[in-house]
Amino acid sequence: MRVHKLTFAALVVAAGLSLTACQNDDDGSGQSDPSSASSASSSGGGSSSGGSDQGGGKDSGGQGTAAGTGSDENGKVGKCRTDELEITAADRTIDGDGEGTVAVTLKNGGGRDCTISGFAGVDLKTSEGALSAKRSGQPADPHILEDGESTYFGVNYPINDSGGSGVRVTGLVVTPPNETKSVTLDWPGGGTLPVTDGAGSPVKVGPIGGIGQGG
């Protein structure tokens, strides 16, 4: 009986040791699995987050591209902005003409083609206040102004040959077609305008693309 008791006790001890070892193995694998799962989850979350970010990037880029592509596909070119135009003025009066002519040049420096048409807004600064030019009766044809190219229009005004002091001109204010921002230039034409008693402006502006008589 003593031998059997010792054998049974030994078996119990051995079984206990085996069970402890198994539990340690299970705990170890249990610790390993959450770590792996966390890593995968983090990796998966990163991928998901990255996918979301990339998707957002693609969406943003896609919208930008679509807008640009849509404009190109539709053949639409944006209008010329004041800030994109280099605007200058020069006297182009021809001897013998009954009127003086100032040619206004608009050069496209915006880095892109743009459309421009119609009539620019023109005001003369004078000693008597602002004087707005009247549009001529010439047709205004739209056209595309390529980057680096220039277009022109004319400002026609009466020459002061009355012998009097007249109305002194101090500046030229130009507002490109369909724009609200103006540019103020030095007036290159005759220093004075004749004093007139008639209604309306004696100054006329021609359409974009021509510097002939206001008509």
Side-chain angles (χ1 to χ4, degrees):
M1 290 296 295
R2 184 177 181 180
V3 173
H4 289 294
K5 288 181 179 179
L6 289 174
T7 302
F8 179 76
L11 289 173
V12 171
V13 171
L17 292 173
S18 175
L19 179 61
T20 301
C22 290
Q23 289 176 347
N24 289 338
D25 288 343
D26 290 341
D27 291 341
S29 64
Q31 292 174 357
S32 175
D33 288 345
S35 175
S36 299
S38 176
S39 175
S41 175
S42 174
S43 174
S47 174
S48 175
S49 175
S52 176
D53 291 342
Q54 290 172 3
K58 287 179 181 178
D59 290 343
S60 299
Q63 290 175 356
T65 303
T69 303
S71 296
D72 292 339
E73 287 176 352
N74 294 331
K76 294 182 180 179
V77 179
K79 68 178 181 180
C80 297
R81 300 286 186 180
T82 302
D83 290 336
E84 297 175 322
L85 298 171
E86 180 184 343
I87 305 176
T88 55
D91 185 14
R92 290 292 182 268
T93 301
I94 300 174
D95 291 341
D97 281 353
E99 292 184 312
T101 300
V102 167
V104 178
T105 302
L106 302 93
K107 182 177 180 180
N108 181 8
R112 67 179 181 94
D113 296 350
C114 59
T115 58
I116 191 166
S117 63
F119 291 82
V122 172
D123 295 283
L124 270 60
K125 289 184 174 183
T126 77
S127 56
E128 300 297 325
L131 177 63
S132 297
K134 180 182 177 181
R135 293 181 179 183
S136 72
Q138 295 172 302
D141 298 322
H143 62 278
I144 294 176
L145 186 62
E146 295 183 1
D147 183 39
E149 286 191 342
S150 298
T151 189
Y152 314 85
F153 69 86
V155 179
N156 300 107
Y157 61 95
I159 296 175
N160 183 17
D161 54 6
S162 64
S165 59
V167 178
R168 185 167 56 89
V169 183
T170 60
L172 172 65
V173 181
V174 176
T175 308
N178 303 310
E179 278 287 271
T180 57
K181 186 175 182 179
S182 303
V183 174
T184 301
L185 308 172
D186 292 334
W187 171 249
T192 62
L193 300 177
V195 177
T196 58
D197 296 328
S201 174
V203 181
K204 297 179 182 179
V205 55
I208 297 291
I211 56 173
Q213 297 291 345

